[in-house]
């Protein structure tokens, strides 16, 4: 999981254009300025690209924080 969180952090830094951004498993949309519905779509798309996976709609809807994202990502590997 350590490698996964590092790669997820990399994606978040790119999407939110903030090289100092560090997310944890508990990080949610309310914690990051600019994490709106459009950025969420961009985030999902870049995570799919980074991990060479595809999320289904149920998985996307179930993701309430970064920990949920990591759980789904690791379940696909």
């Amino acid at each position: 999981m350590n490698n996964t969180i590092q790669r997820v952090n990399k994606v978040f830094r790119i999407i939110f254009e903030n090289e100092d951004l560090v997310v944890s498993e508990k990080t949610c949309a309310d914690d990051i300025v600019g994490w709106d519905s459009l950025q969420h779509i961009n985030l999902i798309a870049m995570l799919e690209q980074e991990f060479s996976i595809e999320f289904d709609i149920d998985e996307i809807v179930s993701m309430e924080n970064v920990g949920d994202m990591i759980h789904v990502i690791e379940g696909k590997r």
Side-chain angles (χ1 to χ4, degrees), residues 5 9 22-28 65-67 70:
I5 190 88
N9 262 297
V22 177
V23 297
S24 71
E25 290 185 45
K26 298 203 182 291
T27 303
C28 65
N65 57 38
V66 173
I70 291 169

Side-chain angles (χ1 to χ4, degrees), residues 4 6 8 10 12 19 24 27 29 31 41 44 50-51 55 57 67 69:
T4 303
Q6 290 173 347
V8 167
K10 179 180 89 170
F12 270 81
E19 292 186 24
S24 71
T27 303
D31 299 326
I41 292 168
I44 293 298
E50 172 70 22
F51 290 96
F55 298 114
I57 192 68
M69 290 177 177

Side-chain angles (χ1 to χ4, degrees), residues 49-60:
Q49 183 178 13
E50 172 70 22
F51 290 96
S52 299
I53 59 174
E54 285 188 24
F55 298 114
D56 65 38
I57 192 68
D58 291 333
E59 291 168 332
I60 294 169

Side-chain angles (χ1 to χ4, degrees), residues 1 6 21 24 27 30 38 47 56 61 64 67:
M1 177 160 94
Q6 290 173 347
L21 181 62
S24 71
T27 303
D30 291 340
L38 179 59
L47 287 170
D56 65 38
V61 171
E64 295 184 8

